Amino acid sequence: RYPPAPAYGDDREALCLESQGASGAASWEHKGLLYVSAPVTQAGRQVGRIVVGASMRPLLGRVGMYIAVSGLTAGIALLLAYVGVLRIRRDMDKTELELQRLVYVDPVSNLFNRRAANNRIEALQLVASNQGFVLALLDLDDFKMVNDTLGHLVGDELLLQLGQRLSAGLGSDATVYRYGGDEFLLIVPNAPASAKSEWGIRILELFAEQLIVGPHQLTVRGSIGLAHSPEDATDIPSLLRAADTAMYKAKHGGKHAYAVFNSNMDLALRRRLRLLAELRGAIDHDELSLEYQPIVSLANGDVVGVEALVRWHHPELGTIGPVEFIPAAEESGLIIDIGQWVLDAACRQLCQWRELNLRDVYVAVNVSAKQLGRGLSDQVLWALKASGLPARALQVEITEYSIVEALDTNVAELAALRASGVKVAIDDFGTGLSSLGYLKRLPIDKLKIDRTFVKDLPGGEDDAAIATMIISLAQHLGLSVVAEGIETQQQCDWLRNAGCEFGQGYLFSRPVSPQKIERMLRGVPRLNC
């Protein structure tokens, strides 16, 4: 089926043979065929040649098919790789968008976050406006208690619902940001400084209704500080500091209120920062002292105990009361050292009075939540051992809020104190949660009615009802009751008739020096009641 091989002696053959040598093998291509020629020899003599011809078309077809299959496979692979790259790129774009969103959005409340708020403030300050804008810093009151008692999931849901309520209630007039923790920031653009109070009222009104989180109906409260740019500050740090200063003013004024920043607050802030910086020196330089306020039996006026109250005698600022510097001590953590100093000094002072054979009274010392969390029983036992005072002569007083922050741990700590003989009292009772659910668990001996429920007695019907309830509750639980802040004879008479056993206040004595207490305890110390 192949064309016949060209005759020997063909010019092409001749050339090939000539190039290979007459007696050698040769190959050539002719009319699409490949020829191979080799000599045939016999007895060392060439007798002829063998010529073989083959077509290249099958080989070329197989090579072409191989190339086509390889190209198709490579194309499919490239297509699949391209689709995969597109999918990966789409996922990357989606992830980048989510990351960009998280940079400016708080994942718990779905509100814009601190970074977005700072950018917004910066942008507003660059805009020329005759009115400026109002900044409101909102801090939730006692939010930590929600997390500690109901759990962080409930706390997160509360933040989500509150953020939604604020955003819906204020509408497009203001933007709400979660600034961190339990703080919200509200920015009201194009608002005059005179509108600060108006916005404080509007925000507080949104707290009127309870929030329902699962099975819990929660009453949420907040303290609000309001500042204005550019009236109060022209840069972000100063503006935020102004709002924060006003917020602390509202919180220290009784919480769940708003305060508008003014220049006097700035002076107060500077004083607070100075006290915070110099508080350590008050301990090291022996600038602290104790005054004592008598605790009296309402039945006969006998002095049964004294409450130790710390004072700071600043070399330049004069005497500073605990209401001013104790919050700074709490903030800095120095309350641990100050609390230990007060325990030591009070125990030593009572031992000195006992050595003088004065009337046998006890001394009451206020302790903080931080002391309780750092091993209050060890601090108390150290003070008792160092002074030689018997445990029964010491009473520690702690607020409701301080106890419920870590209830199980604090119950164990207070139980250890009572087991040693130290008395335990709940101070400012009625201003905290006042829950029977935890009250029955507490190893305590006494309740102290807060002065806010005493000041309007006997005329205030609500206060009278609350005071009567506390006294009745204490009696049923086998606890003693002390009423604080008694200033009039009418208050004293009403409390005595209601069953209150003990009291303290200006009617009997203001806090006085140890020397005046010593004179008071000589003989038969009895104060009018």
Side-chain angles (χ1 to χ4, degrees):
R1 58 182 178 176
Y2 299 113
Y8 186 78
D10 181 91
D11 292 340
R12 192 182 299 275
E13 168 72 358
L15 290 173
C16 290
L17 293 177
E18 183 179 352
S19 63
Q20 299 291 329
S23 61
S27 63
W28 67 97
E29 183 179 355
H30 181 68
K31 295 183 178 181
L33 297 179
L34 176 66
Y35 293 95
V36 177
S37 175
V40 179
T41 60
Q42 183 177 7
R45 184 173 63 88
Q46 179 174 337
V47 296
R49 299 185 70 83
I50 295 177
V51 179
V52 179
S55 174
M56 294 293 292
R57 282 176 293 180
L59 178 61
L60 293 175
R62 285 194 295 270
V63 171
M65 181 176 295
Y66 175 79
I67 293 173
V69 170
S70 298
L72 179 62
T73 303
I76 294 173
L78 287 174
L79 178 61
L80 292 175
Y82 179 73
V83 172
V85 169
L86 287 180
R87 183 181 293 111
I88 293 173
R89 183 60 191 175
R90 182 188 62 192
D91 293 341
M92 290 178 61
D93 291 341
K94 183 179 179 180
T95 302
E96 288 177 0
L97 290 175
E98 180 64 16
L99 290 174
Q100 290 176 1
R101 189 186 74 85
L102 291 176
V103 168
Y104 293 102
V105 176
D106 171 59
V108 174
S109 64
N110 287 329
L111 297 172
F112 288 116
N113 59 15
R114 177 191 295 260
R115 183 190 294 268
N118 290 341
N119 289 348
R120 177 64 169 160
I121 295 172
E122 185 176 5
L124 287 174
Q125 289 179 329
L126 294 176
V127 176
S129 172
N130 294 330
Q131 296 192 98
F133 62 93
V134 170
L135 186 76
L137 181 62
L138 165 64
D139 184 85
L140 300 185
D141 296 331
D142 308 308
F143 177 73
K144 185 176 185 299
M145 199 172 300
V146 175
N147 283 335
D148 291 343
T149 56
L150 301 179
H152 288 273
L153 292 179
V154 174
D156 289 348
E157 179 64 21
L158 185 149
L159 292 173
L160 174 62
Q161 290 193 25
L162 180 60
Q164 293 173 345
R165 177 181 291 184
L166 291 171
S167 297
L170 300 177
S172 59
D173 294 335
T175 306
V176 183
Y177 303 81
R178 186 186 177 201
Y179 208 62
D182 57 355
E183 286 186 339
F184 293 86
L185 195 71
L186 297 89
I187 299 177
V188 187
N190 197 29
S194 58
K196 287 187 285 187
S197 295
E198 173 191 341
W199 280 98
I201 295 172
R202 286 186 61 178
I203 297 169
L204 282 180
E205 288 175 346
L206 296 176
F207 286 84
E209 296 183 11
Q210 290 183 320
L211 290 173
I212 299 176
V213 182
H216 309 287
Q217 292 186 346
L218 303 178
T219 300
V220 187
R221 296 289 182 263
S223 299
I224 307 164
L226 297 112
H228 183 268
S229 176
E231 180 177 276
D232 297 323
T234 56
D235 60 273
I236 294 178
S238 298
L239 185 63
L240 292 172
R241 186 167 60 247
D244 188 61
T245 300
M247 184 270 292
Y248 273 103
K249 175 69 174 178
K251 197 171 284 287
H252 292 160
K255 299 183 179 179
H256 193 53
Y258 74 89
V260 174
F261 178 80
N262 58 53
S263 57
N264 292 331
M265 288 184 184
D266 192 48
L267 296 176
L269 175 63
R270 294 178 184 275
R271 178 180 173 92
R272 182 165 67 91
L273 293 175
R274 178 179 180 181
L275 296 182
L276 190 61
E278 299 179 3
L279 194 53
R280 166 58 68 183
I283 304 172
D284 297 338
H285 302 149
D286 197 26
E287 297 173 1
L288 300 179
S289 69
L290 292 181
E291 291 185 348
Y292 299 86
Q293 186 174 36
I295 301 171
V296 177
S297 169
L298 299 187
N300 53 26
D302 286 349
V303 177
V304 297
V306 292
E307 180 178 357
L309 301 168
V310 65
R311 301 290 186 264
W312 179 7
H313 303 284
H314 194 281
E316 297 179 6
L317 302 178
T319 300
I320 304 172
V323 173
E324 187 173 8
F325 74 84
I326 288 298
E330 293 274 4
E331 181 180 346
S332 65
L334 288 174
I335 192 64
I336 303 295
D337 297 328
I338 292 177
Q340 185 68 65
W341 183 91
V342 171
L343 278 169
D344 294 341
C347 289
R348 287 196 306 269
Q349 182 62 70
L350 192 57
C351 280
Q352 293 177 15
W353 289 334
R354 292 167 68 89
E355 291 172 359
L356 296 175
N357 294 320
L358 303 179
R359 183 177 179 85
D360 189 12
V361 297
Y362 68 86
V363 63
V365 176
N366 293 285
V367 295
S368 73
K370 285 187 171 62
Q371 287 178 270
L372 197 57
R374 289 282 293 273
L376 177 63
S377 58
D378 292 338
Q379 299 176 51
V380 170
L381 294 177
W382 169 264
L384 293 174
K385 181 179 179 180
S387 63
L389 185 70
R392 63 176 179 81
L394 177 63
Q395 173 179 293
V396 296
E397 299 182 354
I398 188 162
T399 63
E400 295 172 86
Y401 285 125
S402 299
I403 295 175
V404 299
E405 284 185 355
L407 188 58
D408 292 336
T409 301
N410 292 342
V411 165
E413 195 71 22
L414 295 177
L417 281 176
R418 285 196 75 207
S420 69
V422 175
K423 303 298 182 182
V424 179
I426 301 296
D427 197 14
D428 301 334
F429 187 77
T431 60
L433 292 180
S434 304
S435 170
L436 298 180
Y438 79 81
L439 187 60
K440 66 180 182 181
R441 297 178 52 191
L442 298 179
I444 59 176
D445 304 280
K446 188 176 296 184
L447 298 179
K448 299 191 73 174
I449 304 175
D450 187 71
R451 65 184 68 249
T452 58
F453 306 118
V454 174
K455 64 179 182 178
D456 292 329
L457 293 177
E461 294 182 0
D462 291 340
D463 291 335
I466 293 173
T468 300
M469 181 274 294
I470 295 175
I471 294 169
S472 176
L473 175 64
Q475 290 173 345
H476 283 85
L477 294 177
L479 306 175
S480 300
V481 183
V482 179
E484 299 179 294
I486 301 176
E487 297 183 357
T488 68
Q489 188 64 46
Q490 291 77 13
Q491 293 170 346
C492 181
D493 294 339
W494 188 94
L495 289 164
R496 181 175 55 246
N497 294 333
C500 183
E501 302 167 87
F502 308 102
Q504 63 185 105
Y506 289 175
L507 176 64
F508 313 115
S509 173
R510 292 176 176 269
V512 294
S513 66
Q515 294 75 21
K516 290 185 179 180
I517 292 292
E518 180 179 329
R519 292 194 294 270
M520 192 180 297
L521 295 179
R522 292 188 181 277
V524 182
R526 179 168 295 173
L527 300 176
N528 294 328
C529 180

